[in-house]
Amino acid sequence: MGNKQKYLTYPYIVWMFIFILLPVALVFLYSITEKESNTIKTISFTLENYRLFFDPLYIGVILRSLYLALISTLFCLILGYPVAYFISKASPSYRNTILMLFILPMWMNMLLRTYAWMTILGNNGLINTFISWMGLPKLNLLYNNAAIIIGMVYNFLPFMVLPIYTSLSKMDKRIIEASYDLGADSKTTFRKVILPLSMPGVISGIIMVFMPAVSSFVIPRLLGGNKQAYIGTLIEKLFLVTGNWNFGSAIAIIMMLIILVSMSVMNKFDIDKEGSANLW
Amino acid sequence: MGNKIIELNNISKDYNVRVLDRISLFVKENEFLTLLGPSGCGKTTTLRIIGGFEYPTEGEILFEGKNINHVPPHKRQINTVFQKYALFPHLNVFENIAFGLRIKKIKEQAIKENVKSMLKLVGLSGFENRNIESLSGGQQQRIAIARALVNKPKVLLLDEPLGALDLKLRKEMQIELKNMQREVGITFVYVTHDQEEALTMSDTVAVMHNGEIQQIGSPVDIYNEPENAFVADFIGESNIIEGIMHDDYIVSFLSKTFKCVDYGFSRNESVHVVLRPEDIVIVEEEAGHLNGIVTSSIFKGVHYEMLIQTEDFEMMVQSTYKSEVGKRVGLSFGPEDIHIMSKEG
């Protein structure tokens, strides 16, 4: 029995190797080789790609991306926590419907959803049409950081709501009752019991939003225009436009390291090792 | 025992169905009252209404004479020891016990002293910095009691607090809880489905079934004078037999007529007759009131529990002497062993 079960893991191991380890290894290989030597015969190693990155220009790019991702994560948390809290408080018959409505947009293509925001925020979009109909001057809503943040918050909010909702809904009701019983009103109970106990969900949510937000290239490209580079758009451009796979790979590896470090810092706060810990 | 501290008057509770039906009872100061019944009988709902976690659909609940129907739990001078303890997993032992005191904004020094003396009371001195998850079930149980008692409530509610413990620990905790109750002088309202636990610890027992109170009384009264077949069956083992009360002190069942000590029933009233298994004595065939054949005999530790098939009833008998299966025996009992219960309950 035990031996046979072991064989069942083999397809998974093969899958992991082909689709996870191999690509990462290749990206790493590209990042430490020279551009002109991209054949096996003439391969030559270099750290030039990494050195190149430590240019104020690129540091600025990465800081800008991190900043936007942080702001978006923060907004997701501020909006997402109350939403998750109210869904978990809703009566069981409505709960699934509300949750469903929340997840429904995720079934649509992200590109499409982002385009939708372009038509809402654009110069001749929904909001500006309304504003000019009111007789007010048009606003520049698209192609700035605010538009990117709106797009990211909109796209990634469900990733914040779901883990928080899960940690709230599986919380033992009797622990909350125990807090009331010991004299805490609902405000104190939230602060001293519910919030600390939902932290694993909050941390998962932050990780789940921050990761895609920092590396997203579709949202900054569409909603931010081509005015400024972000880490995602930079990598995309290096691969698809400039054709410098080696430098692109180096940036990808650096970004991986940044995410890895920030995740391990987050995991330090995750006392119960719930949810997010499974991701790593 | 003093004044009534809690009084329930005709309390009913409906969810989709009625789970409590016109419950009335009172608890006196320093009393140990147990709500006893099988699961789903409404005992926990009654406790939750006293604690303020449920509001009654009908009726009123009085605390020291004042109506508290809609007073939320955090404003009641009542604390609860929850089933499975419900300790705060993110706080250590000290902070769990200090929780209620911190909310009352008590000075740090006083909190420290109070927590320390509570830990001493429950026999867990030195556990202040322990993690809740590192404690055994029995230890968590004690912390839950300490966390409630440290607030010096006027009433402590306990919802099957010993249910998760093993038999030996449960027996120890029963005695300890009873001692603690005497020591701190707090009214206890205790919920359990374990009849032995109820009889051991309580001053008063309220037997519940199907959302109604079947009988309230001292453990001795409940055991010796059950008011109806349910109580008789639930409190200890019983043989419950259909009978007819011919006249005062004369009852007939199993095709025979017996003398008994009960009176006040209508002439020829149909009744339930209760014979406790330990009150029946096995004698030689034809030497007792009834004859039968032993169909099973199980060793229970102190006694043997035997089933004896008479002409039309299977009688349970407990005796320290063993009778072999298949043996024909006689059964004997005195008039004072026959308990008559009216069928209306």
Coordinates of all heavy atoms in Angstrom, one line a residue, chain A residues 172 174-186 188-189 192-193 196-197 272, chain B residues 48 53 73-74 78-80 82-83 86-90 99-100 102-103 147 151 159:
Chain A
D172 N -13.9 30.0 15.8 CA -14.9 29.3 16.8 C -15.8 30.4 17.4 O -15.3 31.3 18.1 CB -14.0 28.6 17.8 CG -14.9 27.8 18.8 OD1 -16.1 27.9 18.7 OD2 -14.3 27.1 19.6
R174 N -17.6 30.3 19.8 CA -17.6 30.3 21.3 C -16.5 31.1 21.9 O -16.6 31.6 23.0 CB -17.5 28.9 21.9 CG -18.8 28.1 21.5 CD -18.9 26.9 22.4 NE -19.9 26.0 21.8 CZ -21.2 26.0 22.2 NH1 -21.6 26.7 23.2 NH2 -22.1 25.2 21.6
I175 N -15.4 31.3 21.1 CA -14.3 32.1 21.6 C -14.8 33.6 21.6 O -14.5 34.3 22.5 CB -13.1 31.9 20.7 CG1 -12.5 30.5 20.9 CG2 -12.0 33.0 20.9 CD1 -11.3 30.2 20.1
I176 N -15.6 33.9 20.6 CA -16.1 35.3 20.5 C -17.1 35.5 21.6 O -17.1 36.5 22.3 CB -16.7 35.6 19.1 CG1 -15.6 35.5 18.1 CG2 -17.4 36.9 19.1 CD1 -16.1 35.3 16.7
E177 N -17.9 34.5 21.9 CA -18.9 34.6 23.0 C -18.2 34.7 24.3 O -18.6 35.4 25.2 CB -19.8 33.3 22.9 CG -20.9 33.4 21.9 CD -21.8 32.2 21.8 OE1 -21.5 31.2 22.6 OE2 -22.7 32.2 21.1
A178 N -17.1 33.9 24.4 CA -16.3 34.0 25.7 C -15.8 35.4 25.9 O -15.8 35.9 27.1 CB -15.1 33.1 25.6
S179 N -15.5 36.2 24.9 CA -15.0 37.5 25.1 C -16.2 38.4 25.6 O -16.0 39.2 26.5 CB -14.5 38.0 23.7 OG -14.3 39.4 23.8
Y180 N -17.4 38.3 24.9 CA -18.5 39.0 25.4 C -18.8 38.6 26.9 O -19.1 39.5 27.7 CB -19.8 38.7 24.6 CG -19.7 39.2 23.2 CD1 -20.1 38.4 22.1 CD2 -19.4 40.5 22.9 CE1 -20.1 38.8 20.8 CE2 -19.3 41.0 21.6 CZ -19.7 40.1 20.6 OH -19.7 40.6 19.3
D181 N -18.7 37.3 27.1 CA -19.0 36.8 28.5 C -18.1 37.5 29.5 O -18.5 37.7 30.6 CB -18.8 35.3 28.4 CG -19.3 34.7 29.7 OD1 -20.5 34.5 29.9 OD2 -18.4 34.3 30.6
L182 N -16.9 37.7 29.1 CA -15.9 38.3 30.1 C -16.0 39.8 30.2 O -15.1 40.4 30.7 CB -14.5 37.8 29.7 CG -14.3 36.3 29.9 CD1 -13.0 35.9 29.2 CD2 -14.2 35.9 31.4
G183 N -17.0 40.4 29.6 CA -17.3 41.8 29.8 C -16.9 42.7 28.6 O -17.0 43.9 28.7
A184 N -16.4 42.1 27.5 CA -16.0 43.0 26.4 C -17.2 43.3 25.5 O -17.9 42.4 25.2 CB -14.9 42.2 25.6
D185 N -17.3 44.6 25.1 CA -18.4 44.9 24.2 C -17.9 44.5 22.8 O -16.8 44.0 22.6 CB -18.7 46.4 24.3 CG -17.5 47.3 24.1 OD1 -16.5 46.8 23.6 OD2 -17.6 48.5 24.5
S186 N -18.7 44.8 21.8 CA -18.4 44.3 20.4 C -17.1 44.9 19.9 O -16.3 44.3 19.2 CB -19.6 44.4 19.5 OG -20.1 45.7 19.6
T188 N -14.4 46.1 21.6 CA -13.3 45.5 22.3 C -13.1 44.1 21.8 O -11.9 43.6 21.7 CB -13.5 45.5 23.8 OG1 -14.0 46.8 24.2 CG2 -12.2 45.3 24.6
T189 N -14.2 43.3 21.7 CA -14.0 42.0 21.2 C -13.4 41.9 19.8 O -12.5 41.1 19.6 CB -15.4 41.3 21.1 OG1 -16.0 41.3 22.4 CG2 -15.3 39.9 20.6
K192 N -9.6 42.9 20.4 CA -8.8 42.0 21.2 C -8.8 40.5 20.8 O -8.0 39.7 21.2 CB -9.1 42.1 22.7 CG -8.8 43.5 23.3 CD -9.0 43.5 24.8 CE -7.7 43.0 25.5 NZ -7.7 43.4 26.9
V193 N -9.9 40.1 20.1 CA -10.1 38.7 19.8 C -10.2 38.5 18.3 O -9.4 37.8 17.7 CB -11.3 38.1 20.5 CG1 -11.5 36.7 20.1 CG2 -11.1 38.3 22.0
P196 N -7.0 39.8 16.0 CA -5.7 39.0 16.1 C -5.9 37.6 15.6 O -5.0 37.1 15.0 CB -5.5 38.9 17.6 CG -6.3 40.0 18.3 CD -7.4 40.4 17.3
L197 N -7.1 37.0 15.8 CA -7.3 35.7 15.3 C -7.5 35.6 13.8 O -7.3 34.5 13.2 CB -8.6 35.0 16.0 CG -8.4 34.6 17.4 CD1 -9.6 34.1 18.0 CD2 -7.2 33.6 17.6
D272 N 0.4 31.3 13.4 CA -0.3 30.0 13.4 C 0.2 29.2 12.2 O -0.2 28.0 12.1 CB -1.8 30.2 13.3 CG -2.3 30.6 14.6 OD1 -1.5 30.5 15.6 OD2 -3.5 31.0 14.7
Chain B
R48 N -27.7 29.2 27.8 CA -27.4 30.3 26.9 C -28.3 31.5 27.1 O -27.9 32.6 26.9 CB -27.3 29.9 25.5 CG -26.1 29.0 25.2 CD -26.2 28.4 23.8 NE -26.1 29.4 22.7 CZ -25.0 30.0 22.3 NH1 -23.9 29.7 22.9 NH2 -25.0 30.9 21.4
F53 N -26.7 34.8 25.6 CA -26.3 34.5 24.2 C -27.5 34.3 23.3 O -27.4 34.3 22.1 CB -25.3 33.4 24.2 CG -24.1 33.6 25.0 CD1 -23.8 32.9 26.2 CD2 -23.2 34.6 24.6 CE1 -22.7 33.2 26.9 CE2 -22.0 34.8 25.4 CZ -21.8 34.1 26.5
P73 N -24.7 39.9 27.1 CA -23.8 39.1 28.0 C -22.8 39.9 28.7 O -22.5 39.7 29.9 CB -23.2 38.1 27.1 CG -23.7 38.3 25.7 CD -24.8 39.3 25.7
H74 N -22.2 40.9 28.0 CA -21.1 41.6 28.6 C -21.5 42.5 29.8 O -20.7 43.1 30.5 CB -20.2 42.4 27.6 CG -20.9 43.6 27.0 ND1 -21.6 43.5 25.8 CD2 -20.9 44.9 27.3 CE1 -22.0 44.6 25.5 NE2 -21.6 45.5 26.4
I78 N -22.5 37.6 35.2 CA -22.5 36.1 35.1 C -21.4 35.7 34.2 O -21.1 36.4 33.2 CB -23.9 35.7 34.4 CG1 -25.1 36.0 35.3 CG2 -23.9 34.2 34.0 CD1 -26.4 35.8 34.6
N79 N -20.7 34.7 34.5 CA -19.6 34.2 33.6 C -19.8 32.8 33.2 O -20.5 32.1 33.9 CB -18.2 34.4 34.2 CG -17.8 35.9 34.2 OD1 -17.6 36.5 35.2 ND2 -17.6 36.4 33.0
T80 N -19.2 32.4 32.1 CA -19.5 31.0 31.6 C -18.2 30.2 31.4 O -17.2 30.8 31.0 CB -20.2 31.2 30.2 OG1 -21.3 32.0 30.4 CG2 -20.7 29.8 29.7
F82 N -17.2 27.5 29.0 CA -17.8 26.9 27.8 C -17.4 25.5 27.6 O -16.4 25.0 28.0 CB -17.4 27.7 26.6 CG -18.0 29.1 26.5 CD1 -17.4 30.2 27.2 CD2 -19.1 29.4 25.8 CE1 -17.9 31.4 27.2 CE2 -19.7 30.6 25.7 CZ -19.1 31.6 26.4
Q83 N -18.3 24.8 26.8 CA -18.0 23.5 26.3 C -16.7 23.6 25.5 O -16.5 24.5 24.8 CB -19.1 23.0 25.4 CG -19.4 21.6 25.4 CD -20.7 21.3 24.7 OE1 -21.3 22.1 24.1 NE2 -21.1 20.0 24.7
A86 N -13.2 27.1 25.0 CA -13.1 28.4 24.2 C -12.1 29.3 24.8 O -12.4 30.5 25.0 CB -14.5 29.0 24.2
L87 N -10.9 28.9 25.1 CA -9.8 29.7 25.5 C -9.3 30.5 24.3 O -9.5 30.1 23.2 CB -8.7 28.9 26.2 CG -9.1 28.2 27.5 CD1 -7.9 27.2 27.8 CD2 -9.4 29.1 28.6
F88 N -8.7 31.7 24.6 CA -8.2 32.5 23.5 C -6.8 31.9 23.0 O -5.9 32.0 23.8 CB -8.0 33.9 23.9 CG -9.3 34.5 24.4 CD1 -9.4 35.0 25.7 CD2 -10.4 34.6 23.6 CE1 -10.5 35.6 26.2 CE2 -11.6 35.2 24.1 CZ -11.6 35.7 25.4
P89 N -6.8 31.3 21.8 CA -5.6 30.7 21.4 C -4.4 31.6 21.2 O -3.2 31.1 21.2 CB -6.0 30.0 20.1 CG -7.2 30.7 19.6 CD -7.8 31.3 20.8
H90 N -4.7 32.9 21.0 CA -3.6 33.8 20.7 C -3.0 34.4 22.0 O -2.1 35.2 21.9 CB -4.0 34.9 19.7 CG -5.2 35.7 20.3 ND1 -6.4 35.2 20.6 CD2 -5.3 37.0 20.6 CE1 -7.2 36.1 21.0 NE2 -6.5 37.3 21.0
F99 N -8.0 38.5 31.0 CA -8.8 39.1 30.0 C -9.9 40.0 30.6 O -10.1 41.2 30.2 CB -9.4 38.1 29.1 CG -10.0 38.6 27.8 CD1 -9.3 38.7 26.6 CD2 -11.4 39.0 27.7 CE1 -9.8 39.2 25.5 CE2 -11.9 39.5 26.6 CZ -11.1 39.6 25.4
G100 N -10.7 39.4 31.4 CA -11.9 40.1 32.0 C -11.4 41.3 32.9 O -12.1 42.4 32.9
R102 N -8.6 43.0 32.6 CA -8.1 44.1 31.8 C -9.2 45.0 31.2 O -9.1 46.2 31.1 CB -7.3 43.6 30.6 CG -6.0 43.0 31.0 CD -4.9 43.1 30.0 NE -3.7 42.3 30.3 CZ -2.8 42.7 31.2 NH1 -3.0 43.8 31.8 NH2 -1.8 41.9 31.4
I103 N -10.3 44.3 30.9 CA -11.5 45.1 30.3 C -12.1 46.0 31.4 O -12.5 47.1 31.1 CB -12.5 44.1 29.8 CG1 -12.0 43.7 28.4 CG2 -13.9 44.8 29.6 CD1 -12.6 42.4 27.9
R147 N -10.4 31.6 34.4 CA -10.7 32.8 33.6 C -12.1 33.3 34.0 O -12.3 34.5 34.0 CB -10.7 32.4 32.1 CG -10.9 33.6 31.2 CD -10.8 33.2 29.8 NE -11.9 32.4 29.4 CZ -12.2 32.0 28.1 NH1 -11.3 32.4 27.2 NH2 -13.2 31.2 27.8
N151 N -13.3 36.9 37.7 CA -14.1 38.1 37.6 C -15.1 38.2 38.7 O -16.0 39.1 38.8 CB -14.9 38.1 36.3 CG -14.0 38.1 35.1 OD1 -13.3 39.0 34.8 ND2 -14.0 36.9 34.4
D159 N -21.1 24.7 30.9 CA -21.8 23.9 29.9 C -21.0 22.7 29.6 O -20.0 22.7 28.9 CB -21.8 24.8 28.6 CG -22.6 24.1 27.5 OD1 -23.2 23.0 27.8 OD2 -22.7 24.7 26.4

